[in-house]
């Protein structure tokens, strides 16, 4: 593992224009030779877009693997990329939202999906007025990689929090507008934790609802992050405030609104979503089905 990580660090110091040549080679191996999870990807696409022809799905599938390989080399680069380069490569739009939340004395909950490249949110901490930035991550069983992934999330002044710690941390932390929490919110709950589900991409979908408990108990600013791949190595993130229909959020409202926004983003550019993930494997565990 240590040897592998040394290789990753060496790769991370290579300019991205060279890393993208490696990505092209990886695409050939992963897509054409190995066929990594191609069955899973195709099934997910077929179920999500039943109206699309086999030829259309094939084009999306192929573009997905190109983006997936770019994501891998960009993640390698994340270990050493400077905040200056990351700010050039990732344009953050609608930053006024963060000023507004701070003026309202409300901490911010950022809700993002597995849209490439979600790993490049980290430099946001260097440009927002909030003093504290907490990326939320899932604990890795291997202690070596747990340490490395946490160190990656902690770059640029971030303070990474493991998913099981974050809700407790938010309740204990003053809601004063000085903290931002970054969730990749379309995670699949473990089978034993599945309760709520909704219709998402034409399928019954188990939903992670940890942040929903916050929405009904604390007056926080919920913000959807729409990632857009402009061209290879360059992204835009648009930030949209999520407001309740009434005076405050009701149960599952923010979860439903997040998934509708994410679905709209995916429909615009379906090849940029993480289709290799077995997102719908626990459908039968859903106990409460929403809209």
């Amino acid at each position: 593992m240590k040897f592998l990580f040394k290789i990753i660090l060496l790769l991370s110091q290579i300019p991205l224009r060279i890393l993208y040549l490696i990505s092209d080679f990886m695409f050939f191996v992963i897509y054409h030779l190995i066929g990594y999870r191609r069955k899973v990807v195709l099934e997910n696409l077929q179920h999500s877009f039943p109206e699309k022809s086999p030829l259309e799905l094939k084009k999306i599938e192929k573009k997905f693997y190109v983006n997936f390989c770019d994501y891998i080399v960009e993640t390698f680069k994340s270990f050493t990329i400077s905040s200056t380069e990351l700010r050039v490569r990732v344009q953050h739009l609608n930053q006024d939202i963060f000023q507004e939340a701070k003026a309202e004395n409300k901490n911010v909950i950022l809700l993002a999906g597995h849209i490439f490249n979600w790993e490049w949110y980290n430099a946001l901490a260097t440009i927002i007025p909030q003093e504290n930035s907490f990326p939320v991550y899932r604990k890795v069983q291997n202690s070596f990689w747990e340490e490395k992934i946490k160190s990656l999330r902690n770059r640029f002044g971030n303070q990474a929090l493991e998913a099981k710690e974050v809700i407790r941390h938010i309740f204990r932390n003053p809601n004063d507008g000085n903290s931002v929490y970054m969730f990749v919110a379309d995670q699949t709950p473990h089978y034993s934790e599945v309760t709520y589900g909704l219709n998402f991409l034409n399928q019954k979908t188990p939903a992670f609802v940890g942040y929903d408990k916050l929405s009904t108990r604390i007056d926080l600013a919920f913000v959807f992050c729409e990632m857009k791949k402009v061209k290879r190595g360059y992204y835009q993130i648009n930030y949209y405030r999520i407001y309740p229909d009434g005076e405050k959020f009701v149960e599952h409202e923010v979860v439903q609104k997040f998934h509708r926004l994410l679905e709209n983003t995916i429909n615009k550019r379906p090849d940029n979503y993480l289709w290799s993930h077995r997102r719908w494997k626990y459908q039968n565990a859903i106990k409460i089905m929403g809209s």
Side-chain angles (χ1 to χ4, degrees):
M1 287 182 291
K2 291 182 179 179
F3 178 72
L4 177 59
F5 184 67
K6 286 181 180 179
I7 293 175
I8 291 173
L9 282 183
L10 286 173
L11 288 171
S12 74
Q13 296 174 48
I14 297 173
L16 271 166
R17 66 180 182 276
I18 307 299
L19 285 176
Y20 287 131
L21 295 177
I22 296 174
S23 174
D24 291 339
F25 175 72
M26 288 173 59
F27 166 74
F28 176 77
V29 174
I30 290 175
Y31 183 75
H32 290 289
L33 297 185
I34 299 175
Y36 172 73
R37 290 199 173 185
R38 284 187 63 175
K39 183 179 179 181
V40 173
V41 171
L42 184 57
E43 285 180 354
N44 283 341
L45 289 172
Q46 288 172 334
H47 294 152
S48 298
F49 305 107
E51 77 285 358
K52 293 189 183 295
S53 69
L55 181 59
E56 288 175 306
L57 294 176
K58 189 73 173 178
K59 288 180 179 178
I60 295 171
E61 178 195 47
K62 193 170 184 178
K63 286 182 181 179
F64 158 72
Y65 278 97
V66 171
N67 291 328
F68 179 65
C69 292
D70 281 357
Y71 157 75
I72 292 172
V73 299
E74 287 171 359
T75 301
F76 291 167
K77 189 65 179 176
S78 298
F79 283 97
T80 57
I81 195 170
S82 69
S83 60
T84 302
E85 182 176 0
L86 205 49
R87 285 199 298 270
V88 170
R89 292 185 172 278
V90 182
Q91 184 181 12
H92 299 269
L93 307 178
N94 297 340
Q95 292 183 38
D96 289 350
I97 280 178
F98 299 97
Q99 296 285 357
E100 292 169 3
K102 188 173 177 65
E104 295 170 13
N105 294 318
K106 295 179 181 179
N107 290 340
V108 179
I109 306 296
L110 295 178
L111 302 176
H114 281 92
I115 304 286
F116 300 127
N117 184 348
W118 67 89
E119 293 290 353
W120 277 8
Y121 280 96
N122 269 7
L124 176 66
T126 65
I127 60 176
I128 56 177
Q130 283 76 10
E131 298 172 8
N132 308 304
S133 180
F134 302 100
V136 180
Y137 74 99
R138 276 193 171 183
K139 188 176 181 65
V140 177
Q141 294 302 318
N142 184 287
S143 59
F144 177 83
W145 290 112
E146 164 75 9
E147 177 192 345
K148 299 308 177 188
I149 290 173
K150 190 170 184 177
S151 69
L152 177 61
R153 299 289 193 278
N154 280 339
R155 298 197 69 207
F156 312 124
N158 289 296
Q159 305 169 61
L161 290 173
E162 202 275 319
K164 291 185 178 179
E165 303 172 356
V166 66
I167 303 299
R168 187 183 304 112
H169 187 280
I170 292 172
F171 279 119
R172 292 178 177 177
N173 192 31
N175 184 24
D176 56 5
N178 281 319
S179 297
V180 173
Y181 295 85
M182 297 185 278
F183 287 78
V184 181
D186 60 337
Q187 299 275 6
T188 301
H190 186 272
Y191 185 86
S192 61
E193 298 172 346
V194 174
T195 55
Y196 181 74
L198 41 66
N199 290 307
F200 175 66
L201 292 170
N202 295 301
Q203 297 168 82
K204 290 174 57 179
T205 306
F208 170 70
V209 295
Y211 58 91
D212 185 70
K213 298 174 184 177
L214 299 169
S215 69
T216 57
R217 297 175 64 181
I218 308 177
D219 192 13
L220 301 162
F222 286 83
V223 175
F224 174 68
C225 311
E226 183 177 55
M227 175 74 85
K228 175 185 177 182
K229 187 171 187 176
V230 179
K231 61 180 181 179
R232 201 173 210 182
Y234 291 89
Y235 299 86
Q236 285 181 346
I237 307 175
N238 239 314
Y239 297 99
Y240 297 98
R241 186 83 173 260
I242 301 175
Y243 292 99
D245 289 337
E247 187 175 331
K248 61 180 183 178
F249 286 108
V250 297
E251 188 178 23
H252 301 140
E253 182 181 1
V254 72
V255 177
Q256 292 175 4
K257 290 186 173 183
F258 162 71
H259 280 84
R260 295 291 81 79
L261 289 165
L262 179 59
E263 187 174 61
N264 182 58
T265 300
I266 294 168
N267 283 328
K268 291 177 187 175
R269 181 74 186 271
D271 55 280
N272 218 33
Y273 189 59
L274 186 64
W275 296 107
S276 56
H277 182 52
R278 290 186 172 90
R279 182 75 176 84
W280 292 276
K281 60 184 176 181
Y282 296 144
Q283 287 179 325
N284 294 332
I286 295 173
K287 300 175 180 66
I288 303 170
M289 190 64 189
S291 59

